[in-house]
Amino acid sequence: MAGISIKTDPETKKQFSKFCDDVGMTVSGAINLFMKTTVRENRIPFEIKGEAETNDECDSLLRDFESRRDYPGFGTAEELFDNEDF
């Protein structure tokens, strides 16, 4: 069997090893399970999310717009774009 070497920080390795011990599997078994599931399902078997980017200027404009007394609110994007006043 071919070997794989990965790099991780010591604390993550320690915590992951403890988790594997707690559930009765080896680190190698857990990594193999991840790889086999990934190949079988043709996807990473869990959700990967990044943090939403924020734009302070845009957020400020949106807050100002929503605080206007004449802000009518819109149910859909179509309603917003069809409104000639905004």
Side-chain angles (χ1 to χ4, degrees):
M1 189 178 257
I4 293 177
S5 177
I6 63 168
K7 293 183 182 193
T8 189
D9 64 275
E11 186 59 28
T12 298
K13 180 181 178 185
K14 178 182 167 185
Q15 291 173 350
F16 188 68
S17 293
K18 181 178 179 338
F19 167 80
C20 289
D21 286 342
D22 290 348
V23 298
M25 66 183 353
T26 64
V27 169
S28 181
I31 299 300
N32 275 297
L33 177 63
F34 166 77
M35 290 190 310
K36 288 179 181 186
T37 303
T38 299
V39 170
R40 183 181 66 247
E41 296 181 6
N42 197 32
R43 68 179 189 90
I44 300 293
F46 48 83
E47 185 176 5
I48 299 174
K49 294 170 85 174
E51 291 187 33
E53 290 187 32
T54 59
N55 181 321
D56 292 337
E57 182 181 1
C58 184
D59 289 346
S60 176
L61 288 170
L62 180 59
R63 280 191 301 279
D64 290 347
F65 179 73
E66 289 176 337
S67 69
R68 290 176 39 185
R69 288 179 187 245
D70 61 339
Y71 171 66
F74 299 100
T76 66
E78 253 180 33
E79 289 176 11
L80 170 64
F81 292 119
D82 288 345
N83 188 313
E84 296 177 11
D85 294 331
F86 294 95

